[in-house]
Amino acid sequence: MTATTVLTARALLLDMDGTLVNSDAAVERVWRRWAERHGLDGAEIMKVVHGRQGYATMAVLLPERPMEQNLADNVRMLAEETADVDGVVPIPGAPEFLASLVDGGVPHALVTSADVALSTARMGAAGLALPEVRVTAESVGASKPDPEGFLKGAAELGIAPEGCVVFEDSGAGIEAGRAAGMRVVGVGERARSHGPDVVVPDLTAVRVEVADDGTIRLHVNG
């Protein structure tokens, strides 16, 4: 049996990888190649790559390396990731979920650690339309788990942080949402151990209802 939780909100902020798009195979291919080049254990690095911008992951894995090298390496990594969309598919329920937001006039934004090119490539490969409001890597000065991206998304929608609900899969993303003062719906098993308000297996477990006053009611079967 699953329990239904109802969350109210004024806007939704959506991560991409692991939340709307399953890109795990592509992420693993690219990062395992990077690990091999640097003599690191591929299995170990996969524990920390999700949710962060590439340069921030590199800073965790290679703490002694100058940030300038991480930033330059990140540019190359983004190009590799953008070119590799084999196996990128939508998270179950994502097409219907996004359509319900558009049809219902629900204020929402994509808040991703990917840049414009990568987010466009992966959403396109998954057959998902990009939300009109997007906060990408180019939009922020700090990577998740810093809350900057989510706070910027809320500001662009004109909604106070406490009125937003975040959808996230990674520890870094969930931490960022909490630091922004927002409630968090965790998507998938990866989210479960990071303390979101509720966890769903995928987006088929979420139903969106909009009241006449614009209040969003999220019916979440976690």
Side-chain angles (χ1 to χ4, degrees):
M1 294 289 290
T2 59
T4 299
T5 300
V6 178
L7 300 175
T8 59
R10 304 298 295 188
L12 307 182
L13 302 178
L14 315 173
D15 175 51
M16 181 181 72
D17 292 303
T19 301
L20 298 174
V21 170
N22 183 346
S23 57
D24 281 2
V27 170
E28 184 154 344
R29 283 193 297 270
V30 171
W31 277 98
R32 281 184 179 274
R33 288 197 299 268
W34 183 88
E36 187 175 349
R37 289 197 295 269
H38 293 278
L40 299 174
D41 185 309
E44 288 300 312
I45 74 160
M46 293 312 300
K47 297 176 182 178
V48 298
V49 300
H50 296 291
R52 296 178 173 86
Q53 290 190 44
Y55 75 85
T57 294
M58 294 170 192
V60 172
L61 296 168
L62 299 173
E64 303 303 319
R65 192 164 81 154
M67 184 57 73
E68 292 77 9
Q69 290 186 33
N70 293 338
L71 291 169
D73 213 358
N74 188 48
V75 172
R76 292 188 288 271
M77 289 285 287
L78 283 169
E80 284 188 52
E81 289 185 291
T82 302
D84 185 356
V85 294
D86 185 34
V88 173
V89 296
I91 293 292
E96 297 81 4
F97 175 70
L98 287 173
S100 74
L101 302 187
V102 174
D103 293 344
V106 175
H108 65 285
L110 185 72
V111 181
T112 176
S113 292
D115 65 2
V116 168
L118 180 56
S119 58
T120 301
R122 285 187 176 160
M123 290 288 280
L128 300 176
L130 283 161
E132 288 187 12
V133 178
R134 301 183 288 276
V135 179
T136 61
E138 297 94 337
S139 309
V140 297
S143 169
K144 299 172 186 177
D146 191 283
E148 180 186 358
F150 287 125
L151 292 171
K152 184 162 188 174
E156 291 198 16
L157 293 171
I159 304 296
E162 60 269 22
C164 297
V165 169
V166 166
F167 282 72
E168 263 286 0
D169 73 300
S170 71
I174 291 167
E175 184 180 340
R178 286 212 171 281
M182 302 172 182
R183 288 151 298 152
V184 182
V185 175
V187 180
E189 282 305 307
R190 187 156 55 222
R192 191 170 299 278
S193 62
H194 298 290
D197 291 274
V198 63
V199 179
V200 295
D202 55 46
L203 294 172
T204 64
V206 181
R207 181 170 63 86
V208 181
E209 179 185 19
V210 185
D212 291 340
D213 67 354
T215 300
I216 304 160
R217 290 172 60 85
L218 295 170
H219 300 261
V220 181
N221 295 318

